[in-house]
Amino acid sequence: MTRKDRGSPRTDSPNLNGSPGISYTGRGVHRIAVEALARRIFDGTYAEGDLLDLPGLMAELDVSQTVLREAIKVLTTKGLLDARQKRGTFVRPRDDWNLLDSDVLRWTIDSGAPGAFFTDLLELRRAVEPAAAALAALHRTDADLAALDALDAALSAMAAAEQTPVMTHAVTTEGDPVLAVRADASFHTALLTASGNPFFAQMRRVIIPTLVVRDRLVHAGRHEHPLPAHTRVADRVRARDQDGAFAAMLDVIELSRLADTPDTGPHPRNSPRGTRT
């Protein structure tokens, strides 16, 4: 294996197919081995606690021992695998998997994440995005207008994508779902960035890919028009109304909760409407 066959971790933006950008940049046979081994873990071929059959994998994947070892190293850094003397290489419990890693998130989504997965992400959004909206309202200065302009551009794109009159309780089945998904992702990315908190801004790497999966399903069918709720968030941020921005963002997330789909399923662990402290 040559040096160029080795990769280094990096994180890309999510694709509109719902998967985060591939963060491991290994090439050729090395990347193929990483992806193939990960698929076998996520599809249950190797369950939690199972030992890897290294000779069998080398033959099945048609790779050398060096390539397989490098693939195992990659998945070990992501919390999927571990090795012990006298035991061998085994799959770690799911609780140890790094769900914030963009590859792990992508593999989870691509393997058909259960409804509980999206419920958990909705709870994460409820904890993060209203606070981010409140911070955006607090930190908004004349120098932050570029971020707010990004919000406005995203809102305008959403309206164009929906191709329907903007009414508080409008319901639509028309428009371009791809444009609507892109616009919604841009809005939430811009809001997290406008918070001025780099940790909130980084949460887009987790929130946006799962939001895209949900949006692709929701925007393709009958749904409540999302523009009015998003507009209220932007208006409250512009007005530097922290409490109003917080509450408006909770309303946006409530729309997500109500828009259940067969893939995401119902959200059984609905918590009471949050409050700022």
Side-chain angles (χ1 to χ4, degrees):
M1 182 177 63
T2 63
R3 180 178 295 273
K4 70 178 182 179
D5 288 326
R6 296 196 178 192
S8 58
R10 70 180 175 85
T11 305
D12 292 331
S13 300
N15 300 315
L16 285 181
N17 64 5
S19 297
I22 296 174
S23 68
Y24 187 77
T25 58
R27 299 176 182 175
V29 66
H30 182 268
R31 176 167 168 179
I32 291 173
V34 170
E35 294 292 326
L37 184 51
R39 281 197 303 272
R40 282 158 177 75
I41 294 173
F42 279 85
D43 69 12
T45 300
Y46 286 104
E48 298 175 50
D50 282 355
L51 291 175
L52 299 190
D53 176 9
L54 302 186
L57 281 169
M58 288 170 55
E60 183 181 352
L61 302 179
D62 192 22
V63 297
S64 67
Q65 185 180 53
T66 300
V67 170
L68 184 58
R69 282 178 176 174
E70 288 295 323
I72 289 172
K73 283 183 182 180
V74 172
L75 299 185
T76 298
T77 64
K78 298 176 184 295
L80 303 182
L81 298 175
D82 203 351
R84 292 286 186 273
Q85 285 187 345
K86 299 183 180 181
R87 179 180 178 184
T89 302
F90 60 93
V91 180
R92 298 179 67 177
R94 281 182 175 265
D95 287 346
D96 294 337
W97 298 2
N98 182 6
L99 294 179
L100 300 182
D101 179 274
S102 61
D103 281 328
V104 175
L105 187 60
R106 171 170 61 86
W107 291 323
T108 301
I109 293 173
D110 289 347
S111 65
F117 174 81
F118 293 95
T119 300
D120 291 339
L121 262 297
L122 188 71
E123 291 174 351
L124 175 66
R125 291 184 58 200
R126 186 183 283 116
V128 170
E129 291 192 88
L135 281 176
L138 173 66
H139 295 153
R140 205 276 289 171
T141 65
D142 291 341
D144 296 321
L145 289 179
L148 290 175
D149 287 343
L151 297 180
D152 285 343
L155 289 169
S156 297
M158 287 175 69
E162 294 292 348
Q163 297 178 2
T164 57
V166 177
M167 297 183 293
T168 302
H169 300 293
V171 175
T172 179
T173 58
E174 300 178 356
D176 185 333
V178 174
L179 290 179
V181 169
R182 182 180 293 118
D184 196 33
S186 297
F187 175 88
H188 289 273
T189 298
L191 182 68
L192 290 167
T193 301
S195 72
N197 185 306
F199 293 100
F200 279 167
Q202 289 290 319
M203 290 306 297
R204 72 185 185 277
R205 304 186 189 281
V206 177
I207 291 174
I208 299 304
T210 54
L211 182 65
V212 167
V213 171
R214 172 199 168 274
D215 280 356
R216 288 180 63 232
L217 296 166
V218 171
H219 286 282
R222 189 174 180 83
H223 60 280
E224 183 172 348
H225 200 301
L227 183 58
H230 287 73
T231 299
R232 286 192 289 273
V233 175
D235 288 345
R236 292 303 87 205
V237 170
R238 280 191 175 278
R240 297 188 175 132
D241 178 1
Q242 289 181 260
D243 291 332
F246 187 96
M249 193 65 231
L250 274 177
D251 289 339
V252 169
I253 296 174
E254 178 67 6
L255 286 180
S256 295
R257 185 188 68 80
L258 295 175
D260 292 330
T261 67
D263 284 81
T264 58
H267 305 289
R269 299 199 302 274
N270 297 332
S271 59
R273 181 184 176 94
T275 55
R276 292 189 65 233
T277 57

